[in-house]
């Protein structure tokens, strides 16, 4: 079996995917963008609220299913969506 296919199947067999690398956060299969500014971006993902905190945050890419955020990421917080 192909290792790449195994990884892709593992990653996409989820309600959502959040990946971090360097100064970027990639989110796949988010529900909606609740609020954003250059210090905090808040999303609804599945039944969770995801807050991305940092400095100079920019939404570099946004589609119905995925989002790429760039900036100096300080923290990512998840809580139950209420």
């Amino acid at each position: 079996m192909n290792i790449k296919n195994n990884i892709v199947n593992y990653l996409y067999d989820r309600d959502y995917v959040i990946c971090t690398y360097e100064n970027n956060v990639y989110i796949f299969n988010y529900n909606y963008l609740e609020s954003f500014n250059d210090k905090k971006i808040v999303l609804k993902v599945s039944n969770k609220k995801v807050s991305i905190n940092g400095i100079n945050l920019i939404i570099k890419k946004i589609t119905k299913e995925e989002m790429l955020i760039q900036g100096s990421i300080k923290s990512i917080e998840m809580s139950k969506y209420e």
Side-chain angles (χ1 to χ4, degrees):
M1 244 192 181
N2 188 337
I3 293 174
K4 179 186 172 204
N5 289 339
N6 287 341
I7 293 171
V8 169
N9 287 337
Y10 175 78
L11 290 174
Y12 291 105
D13 191 23
R14 307 247 184 257
D15 291 336
Y16 61 91
V17 174
I18 299 175
C19 299
T20 60
Y21 55 98
E22 295 181 17
N23 292 322
N24 296 282
V25 176
Y26 171 77
I27 298 110
F28 177 76
N29 211 16
Y30 72 96
N31 295 101
Y32 62 87
L33 176 62
E34 188 172 289
S35 64
F36 68 95
N37 60 43
D38 66 334
K39 293 183 176 76
K40 186 174 191 175
I41 297 175
V42 180
L43 306 161
K44 181 176 186 287
V45 177
S46 189
N47 63 345
K48 295 176 178 30
K49 181 179 188 177
V50 177
S51 298
I52 299 157
N53 305 296
I55 300 169
N56 298 324
L57 299 179
I58 299 169
I59 298 173
K60 293 292 280 187
K61 178 180 180 179
I62 186 168
T63 67
K64 287 193 281 185
E65 292 182 333
E66 59 187 353
M67 184 180 301
L68 179 63
I69 299 165
Q70 188 177 53
S72 180
I73 311 298
K74 299 297 179 188
S75 66
I76 300 173
E77 302 169 1
M78 296 182 81
S79 59
K80 187 173 180 181
Y81 197 85
E82 299 178 20

